[in-house]
Amino acid sequence: MPASSPLPSPMALSIASPTPSMFKKRSSQSLAPMASAASYLSAVSKADARARNGNARPPTSTPALSLSSSITSSSEDTVLHDDDLNNEDGLTYPVRAPTSEEVFTTVHTEFGHCANDEYRFTSQHTPGAPVPAHVEQDPPYYILLSTYISYLILICLGHLRDFIGKRLSPSSYKHLIPRGGYAPLNSDFDSFYTRRLKTRMDDCFSQPVTGVAGRTILLLDRISSDYNRTHILTGNRTRALNISSYNYLGFAQARGGCADAVEESIKRYGISTCGSRLEGGSSDLHNISEALVAKFVGMEDALISSMGFATNSTYIPALVGKGCLVISDELNHASIRFGVRLSGAHVRMFKHNDMNNLESLLREVISQGQPKTHRPWKKILIIVEGLYSMEGTLLNLPGILELKKKYKFYLFVDEAHSIGALGPHGRGVADYFGVPPRSIDILMGTFTKSFGAAGGYIAGDKSLIDRLRIRGHSGPYAESMTPPVLTQIIASMASIMGVSAQSLMPSTSSRDESEYTHPGPAPSNALPSWLMLPPPLASGAEGRLRLRRLAFNSRYLHRGLQKLGFITYGHPASPIVPLLLFNPGKMCMFHRMMKDRRTPIVVVVVAYPATPLVTSRVRFCVSAAHTKDDVDTVLTACDEIGDILDLKHGSKDRWSLEKVLGNAVELAHM
């Protein structure tokens, strides 16, 4: 560690080395690099044919994976055996003595070893600097034209196959044709996209996995003999670099302080909800969790729900109703749209993150009032997201708060993706911009991303939360959260906050909106008495390290892809990095070529209707569990595949791959 560092790295505490730990040598059987997409498709088709005919016996071990350049040379192949995970610390002992920067307690497959302090960054907005606007960069016209033609060909072929199939094989269309006096189970028109377009690329979606979705993940290999209508598991498993999970802080771990706390809670409470219920219908863990969430986000009170989607869809109707107006960002999540629809409130939308368009809309709706009667609105509620999951864009919070002071509306911020992932203290967009959280009326978030748990929360004034407990549908009808999930929330959140020795919970009743004040660590009496976190977690040192690692990885991948010439969306601080593919055929090819590399990489491709028709994309989800070498691996793969698939249509100020990999720190600080 550098001499200026006051504490040793919380991840570098004891036991084993990351170097030759997980890998064993094996002769390479992977495909050689292909010069074009056509040659790659030909090789894949031959391999698939051999697999279907049974001529090629599937390998008994996990396919090749090389995730650390310090372990093997580029000409060697490596295999990660599951036996390596059966050791006490998840790693085998090295032959040579480890250095001070190579001794870790974490399992490398779950949380990558990276002790270099240069690969850290603080996620924080520069005071006074403008918030970058969302700019959609258009590709060349021939890319757009070929994309439209591709969809047109697929649609024409799909209708032709339906026309012929209904006459030659009517039994295959029984669910789409009225018969026996019954209406069809499915609409022919509504299911056309799924049957004739999505099915062609279904091997890229719903990939079955097993184990922990950490730095790496185990894929269950499968094949299809009927053109993706059904898939057959081969029994083999592939360990791949995981760049597709919402594991922002790397708390999705099977071992460690949080996992130990969850194990202890199972011994005390069991795994069912009923086992932890008290007479009042709640539990001590439930109450502790809600108090800790309120402390974490800097609000007066909070309530938690067992499902993130239900948090929006069941509590928004308790906030607004008939005679109220909801102004929603056009790219808000489906749970927000569903909740607003259930509420019966009038809804208007404004252009994504466009404050000028929002102000124009506010002037119009305030001056005109309710439709027909023109009476004033009972309430005006603006609902936005802190971080948009499909675009990677960040809410212009300072801009919307200026409008809030001017036009006096209520503000609801959905921080499902930003809480725990943004800000120097991990408190979301308010922390990132240095804005007092109580200048926002309602904060919503989920525990499924940064905290490695499940469920969601609503935070705000105590009077508001008390009303939502009674009026919200989740309170009386939804199942409570189980003790293991509650414990994971408490342990991970306390690890980010740190635990202080003070015995009293500081008062949060004062409402000061003039300046931002960090809520501080969690008092020891705010946690269960039996919860014992390891010193690195209890001190908050490991939580701060994870936040800084996530910030560096996010900015490095985002800037690196841009310098390589790709078109990307989103804010540099966002752990979600969308890379535009456009053509539907390139979605399949990109996914398969990433997974079939010598170092397999599993990615998520997104298409219509989740995105506009012509802006299909791959969505990288960065984690604090990734090392700088992991991001290098992703950039290298993207550079090679981008050349083959003709994906580089971005900035003209391009760097070579070697320059990008060698200037990672400079890119992160740009």
Side-chain angles (χ1 to χ4, degrees):
M1 298 295 295
S4 59
S5 178
L7 293 173
S9 171
M11 310 303 271
L13 294 176
S14 63
I15 307 182
S17 166
T19 37
S21 56
M22 310 179 305
F23 303 97
K24 301 188 187 301
K25 303 294 188 298
R26 177 173 180 251
S27 60
S28 176
Q29 295 180 357
S30 56
L31 295 174
M34 301 297 172
S36 65
S39 58
Y40 176 84
L41 276 176
S42 176
V44 170
S45 300
K46 293 178 181 178
D48 184 60
R50 290 195 300 269
R52 292 181 184 178
N53 297 330
N55 295 332
R57 184 176 179 180
T60 57
S61 58
T62 306
L65 177 65
S66 175
L67 298 181
S68 176
S69 59
S70 63
I71 299 172
T72 59
S73 65
S74 59
S75 62
E76 293 176 321
D77 203 354
T78 56
V79 172
L80 172 61
H81 293 280
D82 294 332
D83 295 339
D84 295 332
L85 301 180
N86 297 328
N87 301 324
E88 182 180 357
D89 61 348
L91 301 171
T92 56
Y93 288 94
V95 177
R96 60 181 176 81
T99 66
S100 60
E101 293 187 351
E102 294 179 334
V103 184
F104 297 86
T105 58
T106 53
V107 181
H108 195 41
T109 55
E110 295 180 358
F111 195 96
H113 304 155
C114 183
N116 192 335
D117 270 350
E118 289 187 347
Y119 304 144
R120 311 282 189 266
F121 191 84
T122 300
S123 174
Q124 189 171 15
H125 180 72
T126 303
V131 180
H134 174 63
V135 179
E136 293 187 359
Q137 186 176 354
D138 294 326
Y141 284 118
Y142 79 90
I143 294 293
L144 292 176
L145 182 61
S146 64
T147 301
Y148 281 117
I149 292 176
S150 297
Y151 278 110
L152 181 62
I153 293 174
L154 289 173
I155 291 171
C156 293
L157 290 177
H159 282 298
L160 179 63
R161 295 182 66 183
D162 280 353
F163 178 81
I164 298 174
K166 289 176 182 178
R167 287 154 179 78
L168 299 183
S169 180
S171 60
S172 302
Y173 293 85
K174 289 190 298 184
H175 62 296
L176 300 175
I177 302 174
R179 58 190 177 91
Y182 290 94
L185 286 174
N186 302 99
S187 167
D188 190 349
F189 179 80
D190 292 343
S191 64
F192 178 82
Y193 176 83
T194 303
R195 292 183 292 107
R196 293 306 182 195
L197 280 77
K198 179 177 177 294
T199 303
R200 291 176 174 267
M201 57 182 76
D202 248 359
D203 61 315
C204 301
F205 304 112
S206 304
Q207 175 73 54
V209 299
T210 185
V212 175
R215 168 180 169 261
T216 65
I217 195 168
L218 273 178
L219 306 178
L220 302 180
D221 297 341
R222 59 182 181 174
I223 59 173
S224 176
S225 57
D226 53 5
Y227 303 101
N228 289 334
R229 291 178 183 173
T230 60
H231 291 89
I232 303 171
L233 295 177
T234 64
N236 297 327
R237 298 184 297 174
T238 300
R239 182 166 291 280
L241 179 63
N242 181 19
I243 195 75
S244 59
S245 296
Y246 293 143
N247 181 29
Y248 295 144
L249 292 183
F251 280 116
Q253 294 178 245
R255 306 184 188 187
C258 293
D260 294 341
V262 171
E263 184 179 355
E264 179 63 25
S265 73
I266 294 176
K267 295 177 182 177
R268 290 174 175 268
Y269 296 93
I271 59 174
S272 67
T273 305
C274 298
S276 63
R277 281 192 177 274
L278 300 180
E279 186 178 352
S282 185
S283 72
D284 56 343
L285 286 178
H286 197 100
N287 296 332
I288 289 172
S289 300
E290 291 186 335
L292 192 63
V293 167
K295 169 72 175 175
F296 185 84
V297 300
M299 286 295 197
E300 191 174 358
D301 199 3
L303 62 84
I304 59 178
S305 174
S306 57
M307 183 180 178
F309 191 99
T311 306
N312 276 332
S313 59
T314 62
Y315 284 111
I316 289 178
L319 293 169
V320 291
K322 188 176 181 181
C324 300
L325 173 66
V326 173
I327 300 179
S328 176
D329 189 289
E330 65 179 350
L331 297 183
N332 274 347
H333 191 261
S335 61
I336 296 175
R337 295 169 179 258
F338 188 65
V340 173
R341 192 178 301 125
L342 289 178
S343 71
H346 193 76
V347 59
R348 297 289 298 272
M349 291 193 296
F350 67 96
K351 293 181 180 179
H352 175 55
N353 229 8
D354 189 331
M355 296 300 105
N356 293 328
N357 182 255
L358 175 58
E359 184 170 14
S360 299
L361 180 59
L362 282 167
R363 290 175 178 270
E364 175 191 340
V365 297
I366 292 175
S367 62
Q368 296 299 316
Q370 299 185 39
K372 297 182 180 179
T373 65
H374 298 289
R375 293 177 179 175
W377 299 100
K378 294 180 181 179
K379 299 175 192 171
I380 297 180
L381 176 67
I382 292 185
I383 304 181
V384 290
E385 295 186 38
L387 178 62
Y388 292 84
S389 59
M390 288 296 170
E391 309 295 320
T393 49
L394 198 60
L395 168 68
N396 186 352
L397 186 58
I400 206 167
L401 288 179
E402 287 296 322
L403 295 179
K404 184 176 185 293
K405 294 177 183 178
K406 187 175 181 180
Y407 294 99
K408 308 301 180 185
F409 52 78
Y410 294 102
L411 180 60
F412 182 113
V413 178
D414 179 339
E415 289 209 273
H417 290 269
S418 55
I419 191 67
L422 294 178
H425 310 99
R427 302 313 203 268
V429 288
D431 187 23
Y432 179 83
F433 287 107
V435 170
R438 298 198 183 187
S439 59
I440 303 169
D441 298 288
I442 305 162
L443 285 173
M444 176 270 173
T446 62
F447 305 115
T448 54
K449 280 76 177 179
S450 297
F451 305 102
Y457 68 84
I458 294 277
D461 290 341
K462 190 178 189 308
S463 58
L464 171 68
I465 299 302
D466 288 342
R467 180 179 177 84
L468 291 180
R469 293 186 198 276
I470 301 173
R471 297 289 300 274
H473 296 161
S474 285
Y477 298 118
E479 187 67 34
S480 298
M481 300 174 73
T482 60
V485 175
L486 290 170
T487 305
Q488 173 67 21
I489 294 170
I490 295 171
S492 59
M493 196 168 284
S495 300
I496 301 172
M497 301 172 70
V499 182
S500 68
Q502 65 186 66
S503 58
L504 296 175
M505 174 77 83
S507 173
T508 57
S509 59
S510 61
R511 187 183 180 99
D512 182 12
E513 298 184 5
S514 61
E515 60 178 319
Y516 175 72
T517 303
H518 177 245
S524 57
N525 72 318
L527 307 179
S529 58
W530 50 264
L531 181 64
M532 301 298 294
L533 293 174
L537 293 177
S539 67
E542 184 170 323
R544 291 189 294 272
L545 174 67
R546 291 177 185 240
L547 287 167
R548 299 186 68 217
R549 282 185 59 171
L550 173 64
F552 174 85
N553 291 340
S554 302
R555 296 180 67 89
Y556 174 38
L557 179 60
H558 188 274
R559 299 295 192 192
L561 289 173
Q562 286 184 334
K563 287 299 183 182
L564 289 176
F566 293 97
I567 296 179
T568 62
Y569 285 170
H571 193 280
S574 168
I576 300 170
V577 185
L579 186 153
L580 275 293
L581 302 177
F582 300 104
N583 195 293
K586 295 180 181 180
M587 292 172 53
C588 312
M589 288 297 301
F590 192 93
H591 179 275
R592 294 164 187 165
M593 294 178 76
M594 291 288 276
K595 193 172 69 172
D596 292 342
R597 292 182 62 83
R598 178 173 174 269
T599 299
I601 305 172
V602 57
V603 298
V604 169
V605 290
V606 189
Y608 179 85
T611 67
L613 188 67
V614 296
T615 57
S616 301
R617 66 199 65 176
V618 55
R619 195 174 49 159
F620 297 115
C621 298
V622 187
S623 170
H626 293 132
T627 65
K628 192 263 183 184
D629 286 342
D630 295 338
V631 182
D632 289 348
T633 301
V634 174
L635 290 172
T636 302
C638 289
D639 183 65
E640 296 175 4
I641 298 174
D643 288 333
I644 296 175
L645 299 184
D646 188 24
L647 298 177
K648 297 181 179 181
H649 307 290
S651 172
K652 300 300 182 182
D653 180 23
R654 299 184 186 179
W655 290 5
S656 65
L657 176 64
E658 293 74 17
K659 185 176 180 181
V660 169
L661 301 186
N663 293 272
V665 177
E666 177 187 345
L667 286 173
H669 288 79
M670 284 180 62

